Amino acid sequence: MLAPAVWASAPAAAQEAPYIEFDMTVVTGRNPFLLPGDDAITTAGEMGARGAATIDVDHASTLALDGRVAYRKYDRRFGSFVLGNARADFDHRSDEHLSTRTGASYERYLPLEGMVASIDAAIDPVSLQERYVVDQDVRWRPDRQTTVTGMAMWSRIAPQGSLLLSRTDAVTLVLSGERRLARFTWIGLESQATFSDTADGSNSRAATVRVKGGARLAKGLTADISLGLATISQGYPGRPRSGGSGQFSALGSICYDPRRFRLCVTGRLAPTVTSFEGIRREKSLNARFDLRLMPRAEFSLEADYRSMPGVGQMTDPEVMRASARFQRQIGKYVKLQLGADYDRRTGIASQSLDSWTARIGATFRIPSL
């Protein structure tokens, strides 16, 4: 969520026709919030609505809107929650060389469901969180082989009622350049600076410089990697500033996509904005497998692992999620979904807890799926 948006994903989303959809889901499982001593089976029902539309402002500009709101109620202990998200992107293409994007988003979510975006769920899995983002991207292509991208982003993570997590504001600045060497090979250089301030009075600073590149290794097989150095320093009221030494930073992914299925593995070791004392170094590994079983049915598997080195007294805080999903379109307007999740977290007290949940739901789209 707090990394720069993937620019290439927007055009595909913008081409989708306007729609409104409604969904109903039932979730049941053991210890869904990963709390000590709570092994009872808990069931929740959720009703939600989502809509999206793309508006052609003029021949060179588009406005993409997307949002969802949901009401969830648990049958014991946890009560009810109103969750949701909204996103707006304004894209403008001045000419073949220059294009810009201005975006804003809001998200209200339960921390375990946002843990693929943050390590905060390992620290406090119960507090509801709100997240705000405003970003501005500029892309300049002086020629067909060269691309220069600049990004400025403000974000806020606002935990609700947490004793361990604090509201954190951050500003991120990114400047990167890429040069295509051949049809499927490119290299580049990227620099990033992040400044965060936390409601508890602490502040963090991070700077990163990386060399990056990518290539198509074989038909359907692509890989990219980014290597460099990162520094993180933290300041607390009345105490000398700590940190600031250089540390290894790396991002990489490899994907195999022979059309019928897609397998991607992504790894990351880099500074990340959290609501636990600001910017922290995070290790993450994600693997996802998508399979189209037939024209109207899809199956996916995903595993996500994240840890925060150097925080726990005995064990680094970490979260892990494994998910399986099956969806089948029935008729013209209805989609059935089945799923199962396994979650595990280790907090700052080095206590590990796990849970499993199963879900079934249906989505009704207007005018059609």
Side-chain angles (χ1 to χ4, degrees), residues 130-198:
E130 294 183 335
R131 188 172 300 206
Y132 307 81
V133 176
V134 178
D135 53 82
Q136 176 66 62
D137 295 346
V138 178
R139 169 171 287 195
W140 177 49
R141 298 190 64 184
D143 55 58
R144 298 184 65 179
Q145 287 75 40
T146 307
T147 304
V148 178
T149 304
M151 189 275 292
M153 178 175 66
W154 172 87
S155 64
R156 168 173 289 180
I157 309 173
Q160 307 297 302
S162 176
L163 298 178
L164 298 173
L165 305 176
S166 301
R167 189 194 74 230
T168 301
D169 295 344
V171 173
T172 300
L173 305 173
V174 179
L175 180 63
S176 67
E178 299 174 4
R179 177 75 177 178
R180 188 165 297 279
L181 303 180
R183 184 178 179 185
F184 299 110
T185 305
W186 60 272
I187 60 171
L189 181 66
E190 179 180 271
S191 61
Q192 177 173 326
T194 304
F195 311 88
S196 76
D197 291 287
T198 305

Side-chain angles (χ1 to χ4, degrees), residues 83-105:
L83 310 171
N85 59 76
R87 175 81 192 179
D89 287 297
F90 180 79
D91 289 275
H92 178 73
R93 186 180 180 89
S94 300
D95 51 42
E96 62 180 4
H97 299 292
L98 183 65
S99 56
T100 64
R101 164 174 296 168
T102 304
S105 67

Side-chain angles (χ1 to χ4, degrees), residues 20 43 70 72 77 95 98 103 157 189 196 235 281 306 308:
I20 298 175
T43 301
R72 182 184 304 175
R77 185 175 181 179
D95 51 42
L98 183 65
I157 309 173
L189 181 66
S196 76
R281 197 166 185 244
R306 294 173 185 268
M308 188 186 297

